[in-house]
CSV table of all heavy atoms in Angstrom, one decimal:
chain,number,residue,atom,x,y,z
A,18,GLU,N,-13.3,8.0,1.9
A,18,GLU,CA,-12.5,6.8,2.2
A,18,GLU,C,-11.1,7.1,2.4
A,18,GLU,O,-10.6,8.1,2.0
A,18,GLU,CB,-12.7,5.8,1.2
A,18,GLU,CG,-14.1,5.3,1.0
A,18,GLU,CD,-14.3,4.1,-0.1
A,18,GLU,OE1,-13.5,4.2,-1.1
A,18,GLU,OE2,-15.0,3.2,0.3
A,19,THR,N,-10.5,6.2,3.3
A,19,THR,CA,-9.1,6.4,3.7
A,19,THR,C,-8.1,5.7,2.8
A,19,THR,O,-7.8,4.5,2.9
A,19,THR,CB,-8.9,5.9,5.2
A,19,THR,OG1,-9.9,6.5,6.1
A,19,THR,CG2,-7.4,6.3,5.8
A,20,TRP,N,-7.6,6.4,1.7
A,20,TRP,CA,-6.7,5.8,0.8
A,20,TRP,C,-5.3,6.5,1.1
A,20,TRP,O,-5.2,7.6,1.6
A,20,TRP,CB,-7.2,6.2,-0.6
A,20,TRP,CG,-8.5,5.6,-0.9
A,20,TRP,CD1,-9.6,6.2,-1.1
A,20,TRP,CD2,-8.7,4.2,-1.1
A,20,TRP,NE1,-10.6,5.3,-1.4
A,20,TRP,CE2,-10.0,4.0,-1.4
A,20,TRP,CE3,-7.9,3.1,-1.1
A,20,TRP,CZ2,-10.7,2.8,-1.7
A,20,TRP,CZ3,-8.5,1.8,-1.4
A,20,TRP,CH2,-9.8,1.7,-1.6
A,21,SER,N,-4.3,5.9,0.6
A,21,SER,CA,-3.0,6.5,0.6
A,21,SER,C,-2.2,6.3,-0.7
A,21,SER,O,-2.6,5.4,-1.4
A,21,SER,CB,-2.1,5.8,1.9
A,21,SER,OG,-0.9,6.3,2.0
A,22,LEU,N,-1.2,7.1,-0.9
A,22,LEU,CA,-0.3,6.9,-2.1
A,22,LEU,C,0.4,5.7,-2.2
A,22,LEU,O,0.9,5.1,-3.1
A,22,LEU,CB,0.4,8.1,-2.3
A,22,LEU,CG,-0.2,9.5,-2.6
A,22,LEU,CD1,0.7,10.7,-2.6
A,22,LEU,CD2,-1.2,9.5,-3.9
A,23,THR,N,0.6,5.2,-0.8
A,23,THR,CA,1.4,4.0,-0.7
A,23,THR,C,0.7,3.0,0.3
A,23,THR,O,-0.3,3.4,0.8
A,23,THR,CB,2.9,4.3,0.0
A,23,THR,OG1,2.6,5.0,1.3
A,23,THR,CG2,3.6,5.3,-1.0
A,24,GLU,N,1.1,1.9,0.3
A,24,GLU,CA,0.6,0.9,1.2
A,24,GLU,C,0.9,1.2,2.6
A,24,GLU,O,2.1,0.9,3.0
A,24,GLU,CB,0.8,-0.6,0.8
A,24,GLU,CG,0.1,-1.7,1.6
A,24,GLU,CD,-1.4,-1.7,1.3
A,24,GLU,OE1,-1.8,-1.2,0.3
A,24,GLU,OE2,-2.1,-2.1,2.2
A,25,ASP,N,0.2,1.7,3.4
A,25,ASP,CA,0.6,2.2,4.8
A,25,ASP,C,0.4,1.0,5.8
A,25,ASP,O,-0.7,0.8,6.3
A,25,ASP,CB,-0.3,3.5,5.3
A,25,ASP,CG,0.6,4.7,4.9
A,25,ASP,OD1,1.6,4.7,4.4
A,25,ASP,OD2,0.0,5.8,5.2
A,26,ASN,N,1.4,0.3,6.0
A,26,ASN,CA,1.5,-0.6,7.2
A,26,ASN,C,2.7,-0.2,8.0
A,26,ASN,O,3.8,-0.4,7.7
A,26,ASN,CB,1.7,-2.1,6.7
A,26,ASN,CG,0.4,-2.4,5.6
A,26,ASN,OD1,-0.6,-2.1,6.1
A,26,ASN,ND2,0.6,-3.2,4.6
A,27,LEU,N,2.4,0.2,9.3
A,27,LEU,CA,3.5,0.6,10.1
A,27,LEU,C,3.2,0.5,11.5
A,27,LEU,O,2.0,0.4,12.0
A,27,LEU,CB,3.8,2.1,9.8
A,27,LEU,CG,2.7,3.2,10.1
A,27,LEU,CD1,2.8,3.8,11.5
A,27,LEU,CD2,2.9,4.3,9.1
A,28,VAL,N,4.2,0.5,12.3
A,28,VAL,CA,4.1,0.4,13.8
A,28,VAL,C,4.4,1.8,14.3
A,28,VAL,O,5.5,2.3,13.9
A,28,VAL,CB,5.0,-0.7,14.4
A,28,VAL,CG1,5.0,-0.5,16.0
A,28,VAL,CG2,4.5,-2.0,13.9
A,29,VAL,N,3.5,2.4,15.0
A,29,VAL,CA,3.7,3.8,15.5
A,29,VAL,C,4.8,3.8,16.6
A,29,VAL,O,4.8,3.1,17.5
A,29,VAL,CB,2.5,4.3,16.1
A,29,VAL,CG1,2.8,5.8,16.6
A,29,VAL,CG2,1.3,4.3,15.2
A,30,PRO,N,5.9,4.6,16.2
A,30,PRO,CA,7.1,4.5,17.1
A,30,PRO,C,6.8,5.0,18.6
A,30,PRO,O,5.9,5.8,18.7
A,30,PRO,CB,8.1,5.4,16.6
A,30,PRO,CG,7.7,5.5,15.0
A,30,PRO,CD,6.2,5.3,15.0
A,31,GLU,N,7.6,4.6,19.5
A,31,GLU,CA,7.3,5.1,20.9
A,31,GLU,C,7.6,6.6,20.9
A,31,GLU,O,8.4,7.1,20.4
A,31,GLU,CB,8.5,4.4,21.7
A,31,GLU,CG,8.1,4.6,23.3
A,31,GLU,CD,6.9,3.9,23.7
A,31,GLU,OE1,6.6,2.9,23.2
A,31,GLU,OE2,6.2,4.4,24.6
A,32,GLY,N,6.6,7.2,21.7
A,32,GLY,CA,6.6,8.6,21.8
A,32,GLY,C,6.0,9.4,20.6
A,32,GLY,O,6.1,10.7,20.7
A,33,ARG,N,5.5,8.8,19.6
A,33,ARG,CA,4.9,9.4,18.6
A,33,ARG,C,3.5,8.9,18.2
A,33,ARG,O,3.0,8.0,18.8
A,33,ARG,CB,5.8,9.1,17.3
A,33,ARG,CG,7.3,9.5,17.4
A,33,ARG,CD,8.0,9.4,16.1
A,33,ARG,NE,7.6,10.4,15.2
A,33,ARG,CZ,8.2,11.5,15.1
A,33,ARG,NH1,9.1,11.9,15.8
A,33,ARG,NH2,7.8,12.4,14.1
A,34,TYR,N,2.7,9.7,17.4
A,34,TYR,CA,1.3,9.6,17.2
A,34,TYR,C,1.1,9.6,15.7
A,34,TYR,O,1.6,10.4,14.9
A,34,TYR,CB,0.5,10.5,17.9
A,34,TYR,CG,0.8,10.4,19.5
A,34,TYR,CD1,1.8,11.1,20.0
A,34,TYR,CD2,-0.2,9.7,20.2
A,34,TYR,CE1,2.0,10.9,21.5
A,34,TYR,CE2,0.1,9.5,21.7
A,34,TYR,CZ,1.2,10.2,22.2
A,34,TYR,OH,1.3,10.1,23.5
A,35,TYR,N,0.0,8.8,15.3
A,35,TYR,CA,-0.5,8.8,13.9
A,35,TYR,C,-1.8,9.6,13.8
A,35,TYR,O,-2.6,9.4,14.5
A,35,TYR,CB,-0.6,7.4,13.5
A,35,TYR,CG,-1.0,7.2,12.0
A,35,TYR,CD1,0.2,7.0,11.0
A,35,TYR,CD2,-2.2,7.2,11.4
A,35,TYR,CE1,0.0,6.7,9.7
A,35,TYR,CE2,-2.4,7.0,10.0
A,35,TYR,CZ,-1.3,6.8,9.2
A,35,TYR,OH,-1.5,6.6,7.9
A,36,VAL,N,-1.8,10.7,13.0
A,36,VAL,CA,-2.9,11.6,12.9
A,36,VAL,C,-3.5,11.5,11.6
A,36,VAL,O,-2.8,11.4,10.5
A,36,VAL,CB,-2.6,13.0,13.3
A,36,VAL,CG1,-2.1,13.0,14.8
A,36,VAL,CG2,-1.5,13.5,12.4
A,37,LEU,N,-4.9,11.7,11.4
A,37,LEU,CA,-5.6,11.8,10.2
A,37,LEU,C,-6.6,12.8,10.2
A,37,LEU,O,-7.2,13.2,11.3
A,37,LEU,CB,-6.3,10.5,9.9
A,37,LEU,CG,-5.4,9.3,9.6
A,37,LEU,CD1,-6.3,8.0,9.4
A,37,LEU,CD2,-4.6,9.5,8.3
A,38,GLY,N,-6.8,13.4,9.1
A,38,GLY,CA,-7.9,14.5,9.0
A,38,GLY,C,-9.3,13.7,8.8
A,38,GLY,O,-9.2,12.6,8.1
A,39,ASP,N,-10.3,14.2,9.4
A,39,ASP,CA,-11.7,13.5,9.2
A,39,ASP,C,-12.1,13.5,7.6
A,39,ASP,O,-12.8,12.6,7.2
A,39,ASP,CB,-12.8,14.0,10.0
A,39,ASP,CG,-12.5,13.9,11.6
A,39,ASP,OD1,-11.6,13.0,11.7
A,39,ASP,OD2,-13.2,14.4,12.3
A,40,ASN,N,-11.8,14.4,7.0
A,40,ASN,CA,-12.1,14.5,5.5
A,40,ASN,C,-10.9,13.8,4.8
A,40,ASN,O,-9.9,14.4,4.2
A,40,ASN,CB,-12.1,16.0,5.1
A,40,ASN,CG,-12.7,16.1,3.6
A,40,ASN,OD1,-12.9,15.2,3.0
A,40,ASN,ND2,-12.9,17.3,3.1
A,41,ARG,N,-11.0,12.5,4.7
A,41,ARG,CA,-9.9,11.7,4.4
A,41,ARG,C,-9.4,11.8,3.0
A,41,ARG,O,-8.2,11.6,2.8
A,41,ARG,CB,-10.3,10.2,4.6
A,41,ARG,CG,-10.6,9.8,6.0
A,41,ARG,CD,-9.3,9.9,6.8
A,41,ARG,NE,-9.6,10.0,8.3
A,41,ARG,CZ,-9.9,8.9,9.1
A,41,ARG,NH1,-9.9,7.8,8.6
A,41,ARG,NH2,-10.0,9.1,10.3
A,42,GLU,N,-10.2,12.2,2.1
A,42,GLU,CA,-9.7,12.5,0.7
A,42,GLU,C,-9.2,13.8,0.5
A,42,GLU,O,-8.7,14.1,-0.7
A,42,GLU,CB,-10.9,12.1,-0.2
A,42,GLU,CG,-11.3,10.6,-0.1
A,42,GLU,CD,-12.6,10.3,-1.1
A,42,GLU,OE1,-12.8,11.2,-1.9
A,42,GLU,OE2,-13.1,9.3,-1.0
A,43,HIS,N,-9.3,14.8,1.4
A,43,HIS,CA,-8.7,16.2,1.2
A,43,HIS,C,-8.0,16.6,2.5
A,43,HIS,O,-8.4,17.5,3.2
A,43,HIS,CB,-9.8,17.0,1.0
A,43,HIS,CG,-10.5,16.8,-0.3
A,43,HIS,ND1,-11.6,15.8,-0.4
A,43,HIS,CD2,-10.4,17.3,-1.5
A,43,HIS,CE1,-12.1,15.9,-1.7
A,43,HIS,NE2,-11.4,16.7,-2.4
A,44,SER,N,-7.0,15.8,2.9
A,44,SER,CA,-6.3,16.0,4.2
A,44,SER,C,-4.8,15.7,4.0
A,44,SER,O,-4.4,14.5,3.5
A,44,SER,CB,-6.9,15.3,5.4
A,44,SER,OG,-6.1,15.4,6.4
């Protein structure tokens, strides 16, 4: 499952990208 240490609510800035590993608990 996709958990985070903090509450991740954000707007991706222009020219940037949000990336995640498929192994969500070990990435």
Side-chain angles (χ1 to χ4, degrees):
E18 296 185 316
T19 310
W20 299 107
S21 179
L22 296 176
T23 60
E24 188 66 23
D25 265 2
N26 298 323
L27 62 91
V28 175
V29 181
E31 191 65 31
R33 303 187 70 90
Y34 298 85
Y35 190 91
V36 296
L37 293 175
D39 288 353
N40 190 356
R41 295 294 162 81
E42 296 177 9
H43 297 87
S44 174

